[in-house]
């Protein structure tokens, strides 16, 4: 069995996919690289086939009709044979030395017959064209190189949370939770980084700057203007995240995890609400109301926490336009203070 399956969803990625795939080849025969050609119309599929031909024991290619990032992850997970599973976006890449260290740890665990459900590593915001980087680490949250549970973790900083780029799940965990991401939908990485967490019985944090998250493309989904354009998909994913886990049940076994997951939903609610306020028309205000009413109707206890005890409550102030103005003023000040330089 392969130690890691790397799934690389690709759509018209011909200009940058080689950088990504080349960084994964460090794993050699211990790894499995599944390139998912998601209905590309450029040379993506051809480039993927060239890698499969040159590295037949490492690279597999799946050609499929376009279904979006989530469907690419689903296809990779279905075909995965590795003990662990990691998604690497085609415009991102892994640090080769950190990947070698990760593989060394996996060999040691295999020799010790140690089963780790979730491996957490650092990720790096990489403004490649500006030669600027910002690592995101978890030294304050998890002990290094030690197995722990959710009840052992420390406190997350305000700008710090678990994201897809930081996570390496044991493949069986993803299958146990029946992870299935929606098609033709952006922001599904939020589901990937949320739904499986209660199934994780132990975690190991490796202080490695493994994943490089590329910043710089104008069409990236994290771009504010792009997010406003795709706000309906952000709302859809926020609802899916809020509905996919019973936080009351989680809190009985892992109260710290339940608190973290509540915080995660709060962040997503805040993002959705703020961008609807930035759009600012009547339809956007109605969508914000609908989103909060969805939470109130299906999860009244969670609604109360989000409305009155979390950051998200400041994005749903009373007073209509006046309340929205106060929220946006605070948002712009915070963005100015915390913007990555």
């Amino acid at each position: 069995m392969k130690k890691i399956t790397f799934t690389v969803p690709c759509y018209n990625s011909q200009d940058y996919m080689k950088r990504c795939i080349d960084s994964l080849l460090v794993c050699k025969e211990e790894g499995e690289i599944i390139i998912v050609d998601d209905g590309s119309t450029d040379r993506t599929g051809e480039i993927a086939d060239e890698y499969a031909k040159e590295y037949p024991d490492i690279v597999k290619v799946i050609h499929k009709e376009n279904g979006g990032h989530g469907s690419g992850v689903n296809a990779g997970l279905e075909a995965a044979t590795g003990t662990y599973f990691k998604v690497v976006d085609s415009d991102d890449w892994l640090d080769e030395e950190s990947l070698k260290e990760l593989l060394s740890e996996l060999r040691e665990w295999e020799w010790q017959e140690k089963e780790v459900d979730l491996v957490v590593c650092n990720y790096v915001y990489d403004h490649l064209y500006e030669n600027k980087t910002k690592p995101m680490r978890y030294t304050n949250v998890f002990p290094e190189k030690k197995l722990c549970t959710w009840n052992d973790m420390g406190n997350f900083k305000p700008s710090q949370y678990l994201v897809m780029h930081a996570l390496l799940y044991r493949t069986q965990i993803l299958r146990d939770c029946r992870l299935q991401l929606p098609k033709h939908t952006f922001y599904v990485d939020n589901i990937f980084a949320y739904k499986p967490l209660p199934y994780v019985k132990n975690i190991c944090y490796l202080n490695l700057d493994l994943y490089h998250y590329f910043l710089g493309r104008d069409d990236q989904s994290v771009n504010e203007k792009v997010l406003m354009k795709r706000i309906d998909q952000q709302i859809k994913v926020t609802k899916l995240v809020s509905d996919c886990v019973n936080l009351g049940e989680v809190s009985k076994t892992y109260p710290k995890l339940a608190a973290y997951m509540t915080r995660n939903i709060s962040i997503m609610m805040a993002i959705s609400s703020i961008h609807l306020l930035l759009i600012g028309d009547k339809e956007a205000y109605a969508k914000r109301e609908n989103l909060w009413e969805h939470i109130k109707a299906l999860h009244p206890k969670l609604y109360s926490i989000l409305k009155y005890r979390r950051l998200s409550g400041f994005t749903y102030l009373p007073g209509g336009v006046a309340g929205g103005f106060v929220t946006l003023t605070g948002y712009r000040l915070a963005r100015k203070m915390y913007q990555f330089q």
Side-chain angles (χ1 to χ4, degrees):
M1 181 179 285
K2 300 283 188 176
K3 289 183 173 57
I4 309 178
T5 293
F6 298 102
T7 288
V8 185
C10 294
Y11 176 71
N12 290 352
S13 306
Q14 65 177 25
D15 294 335
Y16 39 80
M17 62 187 290
K18 289 185 178 181
R19 177 181 61 195
C20 172
I21 297 164
D22 287 345
S23 75
L24 306 179
L25 289 171
V26 169
C27 65
K28 299 181 180 179
E29 282 75 18
E30 290 182 296
E32 172 183 59
I33 304 170
I34 300 179
I35 307 172
V36 182
D37 171 24
D38 189 37
S40 299
T41 57
D42 64 359
R43 293 189 62 249
T44 293
E46 181 183 342
I47 294 170
D49 289 337
E50 290 171 358
Y51 273 102
K53 184 177 180 180
E54 186 173 356
Y55 303 98
D57 296 327
I58 303 173
V59 178
K60 298 178 182 178
V61 180
I62 298 173
H63 298 284
K64 58 183 286 298
E65 293 183 0
N66 180 258
H69 187 267
S71 73
V73 174
N74 294 340
L77 180 58
E78 184 177 355
T81 65
T83 304
Y84 292 91
F85 185 86
K86 187 164 187 65
V87 179
V88 185
D89 289 341
S90 59
D91 56 345
D92 300 334
W93 65 96
L94 300 190
D95 178 80
E96 295 183 9
E97 292 304 314
S98 295
L99 179 52
K100 290 177 183 177
E101 291 187 49
L102 171 61
L103 287 167
S104 177
E105 290 292 331
L106 298 186
R107 289 187 209 107
E108 183 70 16
W109 296 342
E110 186 177 56
W111 182 77
Q112 296 176 357
E113 297 184 346
K114 184 183 294 185
E115 197 170 76
V116 181
D117 289 343
L118 175 62
V119 184
V120 178
C121 296
N122 309 325
Y123 63 100
V124 180
Y125 286 120
D126 202 316
H127 288 258
L128 188 64
Y129 301 145
E130 300 176 18
N131 197 29
K132 296 179 182 179
T133 60
K134 182 181 180 181
M136 303 298 290
R137 301 189 174 109
Y138 299 91
T139 51
N140 57 303
V141 179
F142 302 107
E144 295 183 34
K145 288 191 175 184
K146 294 181 180 179
L147 281 186
C148 65
T149 72
W150 296 117
N151 291 332
D152 301 317
M153 69 179 180
N155 296 319
F156 287 80
K157 297 176 183 177
S159 61
Q160 185 184 44
Y161 47 98
L162 297 173
V163 298
M164 184 178 72
H165 319 308
L167 307 179
L168 181 77
Y169 287 109
R170 189 162 58 85
T171 305
Q172 191 58 46
I173 293 295
L174 300 178
R175 291 173 175 158
D176 288 347
C177 77
R178 298 181 180 179
L179 183 73
Q180 188 76 12
L181 303 180
K183 297 180 179 180
H184 299 294
T185 307
F186 288 89
Y187 314 113
V188 294
D189 54 309
N190 289 284
I191 303 171
F192 185 92
Y194 184 91
K195 184 177 181 179
L197 298 183
Y199 292 79
V200 170
K201 300 298 187 292
N202 58 44
I203 309 107
C204 187
Y205 168 56
L206 303 178
N207 190 9
L208 302 172
D209 293 348
L210 178 66
Y211 193 106
H212 282 255
Y213 177 54
F214 173 64
L215 292 173
R217 285 184 17 232
D218 292 336
D219 63 340
Q220 281 184 303
S221 59
V222 293
N223 182 298
E224 185 176 274
K225 292 181 179 178
V226 174
L227 199 151
M228 289 165 65
K229 184 178 179 181
R230 298 171 179 166
I231 191 63
D232 289 339
Q233 296 184 52
Q234 173 69 25
I235 293 170
K236 174 182 177 180
V237 170
T238 301
K239 289 180 178 179
L240 288 171
V241 166
S242 68
D243 296 345
C244 72
V245 172
N246 185 328
L247 293 179
E249 289 299 313
V250 174
S251 67
K252 294 177 183 178
T253 307
Y254 301 121
K256 287 187 176 182
L257 175 60
Y260 165 77
M261 296 177 80
T262 301
R263 173 180 176 266
N264 205 34
I265 297 176
S266 173
I267 292 169
M268 295 185 68
M269 290 289 288
I271 290 171
S272 296
S273 296
I274 285 171
H275 285 86
L276 286 165
L277 289 172
L278 287 169
I279 295 169
D281 57 25
K282 289 184 178 180
E283 183 181 1
Y285 271 82
K287 288 178 180 179
R288 185 179 67 141
E289 184 74 18
N290 175 269
L291 173 60
W292 280 92
E293 287 300 315
H294 174 89
I295 302 294
K296 186 177 182 179
L298 297 183
H299 315 287
K301 185 175 180 179
L302 176 62
Y303 171 86
S304 179
I305 293 171
L306 296 176
K307 181 74 168 65
Y308 301 108
R309 294 166 54 187
R310 291 291 186 273
L311 171 68
S312 50
F314 291 100
T315 68
Y316 191 49
L317 297 174
V321 175
F325 175 79
V326 173
T327 296
L328 288 180
T329 300
Y331 163 72
R332 289 180 176 122
L333 286 172
R335 189 178 178 209
K336 186 175 181 179
M337 290 175 61
Y338 293 106
Q339 185 177 21
F340 174 58
Q341 301 294 327

